[in-house]
């Protein structure tokens, strides 16, 4: 695999956390950071795919049954927050 060099800037406390985590896993810092970046990118892609699938399900439901009422949307939001699937920040950014 061909590697490309990147330069990043982090606060000193983050640098120490990264170095300690890499050392604990017995990996060079660059390898540890590359793995962390891949994991973060994969998680973001999975999250985006999940949101797209959820939106598609809602669109299909509404096409067959009409718009979901605001009361039902609030109930769904409360359920998702109680289940730990959503927090206020996620809800606000989802619109």
């Amino acid at each position: 695999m061909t590697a490309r060099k990147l330069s990043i800037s982090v606060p000193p406390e983050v640098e120490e956390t990264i170095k300690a985590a890499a050392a604990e896993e017995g990996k060079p810092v660059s390898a540890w950071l590359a793995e962390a970046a891949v994991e973060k990118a994969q998680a973001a892609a999975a999250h985006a795919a999940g949101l797209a699938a959820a939106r598609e399900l809602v669109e299909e439901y509404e096409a067959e049954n009409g718009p979901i009422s605001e009361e039902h949307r609030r109930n769904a939001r409360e359920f998702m927050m109680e289940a730990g699937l959503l927090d206020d920040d996620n809800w606000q950014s989802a619109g």
Side-chain angles (χ1 to χ4, degrees):
M1 172 170 98
T2 302
R4 297 190 59 172
K5 189 172 186 169
L6 295 175
S7 175
I8 65 168
S9 299
V10 296
E13 61 275 10
V14 174
E15 176 186 11
E16 293 308 314
T17 300
I18 292 168
K19 286 180 176 180
E24 186 170 315
E25 292 183 23
K27 297 177 180 177
V29 169
S30 59
W32 189 90
L33 284 170
E35 287 178 14
V38 168
E39 289 172 10
K40 178 75 174 179
Q42 289 172 338
H47 180 74
L51 286 176
R55 285 187 181 106
E56 185 177 323
L57 286 173
V58 170
E59 288 173 7
E60 288 176 16
Y61 177 88
E62 289 184 326
E64 293 176 13
N65 302 288
I68 298 172
S69 71
E70 285 304 313
E71 178 184 0
H72 286 113
R73 287 178 186 273
R74 277 193 303 275
N75 290 341
R77 176 178 180 250
E78 288 174 18
F79 170 79
M80 290 172 60
M81 289 179 70
E82 289 172 9
L85 300 172
L86 183 71
D87 60 32
D88 282 330
D89 292 338
N90 294 124
W91 184 256
Q92 297 301 324
S93 65

